[in-house]
Amino acid sequence: AIWATLLFIGKQLSDAKVAPRSTIAATESGKDGRISTGSTADTEAAGWVSLTTMLRTRRCLPLEGGGLGAAIDGIIYSDDCPKLPPRALQAAQAAAPFVAMPPGQARGAEHWLPLLQALGLRSLSEACSVTSRHDGSKQAMTLARTLAPLLPLAQRYLFHKHRSLHDEICRSVAEQVRKLRVR
């Protein structure tokens, strides 16, 4: 029942955004000649928009982990965030509450994201940033195990196909070996 209610609110909110904000009807009212600046459609649209501010404090949004949460509690919704590695996504889902998405067959599911945006929820791509950090060199035994058998083959290839490069590298390595001191 909560999905139907929230999707209905989302639909009404979407319709309110499509409706004109202020239609000035220049209707004179007989004696005083005042101009009417509002309509029932504007009043209804304003009512649906103000409803989102009331829903922000209520625990009405279904969460992925179960239960209900309020929009001001830092809930985010998942969107297409292709740069986020799967492990980072799992860590984010463990650390932050995610709002659940409506069932696929739910009527009016297309109005869900506009409702979440109207409530002030941020998407995952806005809430997180991916940065790479270099903490220093680390031993990578799997890389060493992969490269070690290939080194003799690479040396043989350089010797036969690129002799000048091979000789230059050998001279450079020989110089470095000569400079070593035994203590």
Side-chain angles (χ1 to χ4, degrees), residues 20 94 151 158 169:
L151 289 177
L158 284 175
I169 291 173

Side-chain angles (χ1 to χ4, degrees), residues 35-111:
I35 297 174
S36 171
T37 59
S39 68
T40 56
D42 288 339
T43 308
E44 186 176 342
W48 287 110
V49 171
S50 67
L51 179 64
T52 59
T53 58
M54 290 185 281
L55 286 177
R56 289 186 64 148
T57 57
R58 303 275 197 285
R59 296 207 171 274
C60 62
L61 297 176
L63 301 178
E64 276 186 0
L68 300 174
I72 58 173
D73 288 343
I75 300 171
I76 57 178
Y77 64 92
S78 59
D79 61 343
D80 185 22
C81 193
K83 295 186 179 183
L84 194 64
R87 291 173 75 192
L89 178 62
Q90 290 172 351
Q93 287 175 333
F98 276 74
V99 70
M101 290 298 166
Q105 71 275 12
R107 202 172 104 222
E110 67 273 5
H111 301 292

Side-chain angles (χ1 to χ4, degrees), residues 105-129:
Q105 71 275 12
R107 202 172 104 222
E110 67 273 5
H111 301 292
W112 183 240
L113 289 180
L115 174 65
L116 296 180
Q117 291 166 350
L119 289 173
L121 267 69
R122 295 188 311 165
S123 64
L124 177 62
S125 58
E126 293 173 0
C128 72
S129 62

Side-chain angles (χ1 to χ4, degrees), residues 74-181:
I75 300 171
I76 57 178
Y77 64 92
S78 59
D79 61 343
D80 185 22
C81 193
K83 295 186 179 183
L84 194 64
R87 291 173 75 192
L89 178 62
Q90 290 172 351
Q93 287 175 333
F98 276 74
V99 70
M101 290 298 166
Q105 71 275 12
R107 202 172 104 222
E110 67 273 5
H111 301 292
W112 183 240
L113 289 180
L115 174 65
L116 296 180
Q117 291 166 350
L119 289 173
L121 267 69
R122 295 188 311 165
S123 64
L124 177 62
S125 58
E126 293 173 0
C128 72
S129 62
V130 179
T131 57
S132 61
R133 292 184 295 175
H134 179 66
D135 295 334
S137 60
K138 296 179 182 175
Q139 289 185 350
M141 295 308 291
T142 57
L143 182 62
R145 286 187 197 122
T146 305
L147 290 179
L150 297 176
L151 289 177
L153 299 173
Q155 186 179 14
R156 198 174 308 146
Y157 172 79
L158 284 175
F159 182 76
H160 289 293
K161 298 290 184 181
H162 304 284
R163 183 68 183 251
S164 61
L165 180 64
H166 179 270
D167 293 342
E168 185 181 324
I169 291 173
C170 282
R171 268 188 244 118
S172 141
V173 170
E175 281 296 316
Q176 290 176 355
V177 169
R178 279 190 210 110
K179 291 179 183 177
L180 291 176
R181 292 186 176 176

